Amino acid sequence: MSSNQKFADIQADECVEKLHTAIPGLDLIAEGGLPQGRVTLLSGTAGSGKTVLAAQFLAAGIVHCDQPGVFITFEEPPKAIRKNMRGFGWTIAQWESEQKWAFVDVSPQPHQPPTVTGEYDMGPLLARIEYAIRSIKAKRVVLDSLGSIFNRIPDQALVREELFRLALALGELGVTTIVTAERAAEHGEVARFGVEEFVTDDVIILRNALEAEKRRRTVEILKFRGTSHQKGEYPFTILPDEGLIVIPLSAMELTQTSTDERITSGILELDDLCNGGFFQDSVILVSGPTGTGKTLLVTQFLDGGFKNDERCLLFAFEESRDQLNRNATGWGVDFDAMEEAGLLKIVCRYPESTGLEDHLIRMKEVMEAYKPNRVAVDSLSALERVSTEKGFREFVISLTSFIKAQKTAGLFTATTANLLGGTSVTEAHISTITDSIILLRYVEMFGEMRRGMTVLKMRGSMHVKDIREFRIDGSGAHIGKPLRNINGILSGNFSYMNQGELDRMSQLFSEPSAH
């Protein structure tokens, strides 16, 4: 063997190998999975999802990697764990019969006498764990949770010593282990005894923080000794039939291709303002106060797709299916016929029906299954009220990135808080990542409220910069002439100019003629 080959082998031995967990999103922020053959501490407050993640670690190993697992329970009896995890579709009893899952039951038994503190010998417990691992040739192990057993040991130094002994024993057995531990608060000490994080090589923290009366679940990899991982907190959710799903914002990449092909907005005059329509893979934001015609633009955007045999998808968070159908019919668009033709799918959900992360996961699933050419969301602002500001920003970024990665045209609506002028929180979060922005505004003209529209931004294309009059009638939307004699439409502070002043201002900014 050459010296170079020996050096390469030594380098390979020194690298920390990772075990693919098969938990959605977790392997991305862990950059490959959990360090193989080591003990990872999973810490969190009550209700943060520790037991679900730990059980899913074993379930995913059996389903996706054909790796048996051992669950050592110190709190809940196996019967309760089987029942609680059944809702995620994990057939633990069947896996036990197939020698893929084994319990080591150390949970308190009925009529058990009070715990006697003092000297504690983990020898018998380690022998039971080793037997279970060897009997089913387990590759994955879970201990849930440390607090229950170490509560029986009053001496902190002894806790540390026993934890070292446990980690060493599991390491020698060659299994990858998750050990759960409780913490008293979402921030502060990693675990209750203050020593757990120093004994284990790897630490993951789950949080279920209460912010502005809303819960927000996050996962953070605090340390992976000797190997890399993504830094910071990442949102996650727990769904029935699926389990824990991490939303890895850092894994998003700007690698999608682009196209010069255009699609119609459904309104010919708007296509002209946009120099021929929207780009086929662009995301468009329509922002304006209530009643200015945002849902009408969504309706015509979908109708334009339907007339070109494109598959259209509408996520509605403000109106029911019947309301949407009634409104569309009033503008001359037949949603029922579009659905019967298989070119439209309408998904109506009440924003408060679930958390924002759950909405995001479900929307992605619908898009992956339906594979639309166009997606409309009416409106993003309705989702603002069910999440924290940070959570909403993560939602918008994740949804927008997903739609762009699918090369699908997306049209979102956002409602401004003020009737005249102003911007929305949605607008602030999404404006830099959208390709086009269309603003709708009310215009007060001589005792009458009219509507105005402008294409504020269109990335990669020329567009008309006028503020045009925007009218709505029984046949839909119509875009009229520029509103040249009114200043301050976007800000809501109107002022009017006579024709003479308008001509003078036009000459000030006119291009000099070439001679």
Side-chain angles (χ1 to χ4, degrees):
M1 182 183 293
S2 67
S3 58
N4 288 340
Q5 183 61 46
K6 286 182 179 178
F7 182 67
D9 291 343
I10 291 171
Q11 279 192 316
D13 289 341
E14 290 177 346
C15 292
V16 177
E17 293 185 16
K18 301 260 182 96
L19 180 80
H20 182 57
T21 67
I23 296 174
L26 182 61
D27 291 330
L28 285 171
I29 65 170
E31 297 189 351
L34 299 183
Q36 190 167 332
R38 300 202 317 212
V39 175
T40 298
L41 179 70
L42 180 64
S43 181
T45 55
S48 57
K50 300 185 295 300
T51 302
V52 174
L53 191 151
Q56 190 171 353
F57 173 64
L58 297 191
I62 293 169
V63 173
H64 300 290
C65 308
D66 194 24
Q67 296 174 344
V70 172
F71 196 110
I72 300 110
T73 174
F74 297 100
E75 291 183 342
E76 295 180 275
K79 182 180 178 181
I81 295 173
R82 292 187 197 102
K83 185 175 181 180
N84 293 339
M85 299 303 154
R86 192 70 184 87
F88 299 113
W90 305 332
T91 54
I92 295 177
Q94 180 185 337
W95 292 334
E96 286 180 272
S97 65
E98 295 171 352
Q99 293 288 295
K100 296 177 179 177
W101 181 300
F103 278 108
V104 175
D105 185 9
V106 200
S107 63
Q109 301 299 312
H111 313 300
Q112 190 177 35
T115 304
V116 178
T117 59
E119 293 294 329
Y120 189 88
D121 183 8
M122 291 193 68
L125 174 60
L126 290 176
R128 290 178 64 187
I129 294 172
E130 181 176 353
Y131 174 77
I133 291 171
R134 294 192 187 283
S135 63
I136 65 169
K137 298 179 181 177
K139 300 295 182 185
R140 303 182 181 210
V141 172
V142 163
L143 281 83
D144 184 45
S145 69
L146 275 185
S148 299
I149 187 168
F150 288 131
N151 271 335
R152 308 171 190 179
I153 306 175
D155 185 356
Q156 195 175 76
L158 189 56
V159 168
R160 187 170 185 143
E161 184 180 322
E162 291 297 330
L163 193 52
F164 261 126
R165 188 179 168 196
L166 181 64
L168 186 63
L170 291 168
E172 289 177 349
L173 291 169
V175 294
T176 304
T177 305
I178 286 181
V179 177
T180 67
E182 299 87 2
R183 60 191 312 217
E186 301 296 350
H187 299 276
E189 289 193 350
V190 172
R192 182 172 296 173
F193 294 95
V195 299
E196 297 94 323
E197 68 270 30
F198 302 108
V199 178
T200 55
D201 296 316
D202 317 302
V203 177
I204 297 176
I205 297 175
L206 299 182
R207 294 190 176 92
N208 187 23
L210 183 64
E211 299 175 15
E213 300 181 354
K214 301 178 181 74
R215 289 284 177 186
R216 180 170 179 266
R217 294 180 186 271
T218 60
V219 56
E220 177 186 8
I221 298 176
L222 187 66
K223 72 169 183 178
F224 273 1
R225 191 171 286 163
T227 185
S228 60
H229 60 85
Q230 298 288 317
K231 310 296 190 301
E233 293 184 50
Y234 295 87
F236 75 89
T237 187
I238 298 175
L239 295 177
D241 299 322
E242 296 186 49
L244 189 145
I245 300 173
V246 180
I247 302 170
L249 296 175
S250 63
M252 296 168 187
E253 297 177 345
L254 293 173
T255 56
Q256 67 271 18
T257 57
S258 63
T259 176
D260 292 331
E261 292 187 29
R262 304 262 183 167
I263 60 171
T264 178
S265 65
I267 305 171
L268 289 178
E269 298 97 324
L270 181 56
D271 290 345
D272 291 339
L273 294 181
C274 296
N275 200 27
F278 302 137
F279 284 122
Q280 192 178 41
D281 54 355
S282 62
V283 172
I284 305 105
L285 175 67
V286 177
S287 176
T290 181
T292 45
K294 297 185 296 300
T295 301
L296 171 58
L297 284 187
V298 167
T299 302
Q300 299 213 229
F301 175 72
L302 299 175
D303 186 49
F306 169 72
K307 289 175 178 173
N308 289 321
D309 290 330
E310 297 175 10
R311 295 166 68 84
C312 304
L313 175 61
L314 169 60
F315 291 106
F317 295 100
E318 291 185 331
E319 295 177 282
S320 68
R321 175 183 295 273
D322 285 347
Q323 287 176 308
L324 291 167
N325 280 338
R326 182 195 62 196
N327 296 341
T329 302
W331 296 319
V333 178
D334 190 345
F335 274 176
D336 288 334
M338 293 165 66
E339 285 191 291
E340 287 176 8
L343 293 177
L344 175 64
K345 185 179 182 67
I346 300 176
V347 180
C348 297
R349 287 179 182 147
Y350 197 61
E352 281 79 3
S353 62
T354 186
L356 206 53
E357 291 80 11
D358 295 18
H359 279 303
L360 177 64
I361 299 297
R362 296 305 188 199
M363 290 169 76
K364 286 182 177 179
E365 289 175 349
V366 172
M367 284 187 271
E368 286 175 336
Y370 186 65
K371 300 189 184 309
N373 302 101
R374 298 181 178 213
V375 176
V377 180
D378 187 32
S379 74
L380 280 181
S381 301
L383 297 168
E384 287 179 23
R385 60 177 184 260
V386 301
S387 176
T388 62
E389 185 174 338
K390 185 175 182 181
F392 181 69
R393 185 172 65 249
E394 292 170 344
F395 168 84
V396 170
I397 293 171
S398 182
L399 179 64
T400 306
S401 302
F402 181 81
I403 288 176
K404 291 176 79 72
Q406 304 297 310
K407 300 177 184 175
T408 302
L411 189 145
F412 304 155
T413 66
T415 304
T416 56
N418 301 323
L419 200 61
L420 300 175
T423 60
S424 67
V425 175
T426 308
E427 203 174 302
H429 290 324
I430 199 176
S431 59
T432 56
I433 51 178
T434 52
D435 300 292
S436 304
I437 297 178
I438 296 171
L439 298 183
L440 299 175
R441 291 289 187 269
Y442 282 115
V443 184
E444 185 181 353
M445 295 180 67
F446 309 109
E448 182 182 356
M449 291 299 280
R450 298 189 182 182
R451 298 178 180 89
M453 165 193 278
T454 186
V455 179
L456 185 69
K457 164 189 171 184
M458 192 162 181
R459 187 173 284 156
S461 172
M462 299 294 290
H463 63 91
V464 177
K465 298 177 178 61
D466 295 336
I467 300 176
R468 300 288 186 96
E469 185 175 7
F470 182 63
R471 293 180 287 104
I472 300 173
D473 61 21
S475 60
H478 305 279
I479 299 173
K481 295 180 179 178
L483 299 168
R484 296 194 185 282
N485 58 340
I486 305 174
N487 281 331
I489 293 176
L490 298 186
S491 64
N493 299 315
F494 305 118
S495 63
Y496 300 91
M497 304 171 67
N498 58 41
Q499 188 60 43
E501 183 68 9
L502 183 63
D503 292 341
R504 190 182 72 82
M505 293 296 290
S506 299
Q507 290 174 2
L508 284 177
F509 295 100
S510 62
E511 296 286 340
S513 58
H515 294 287

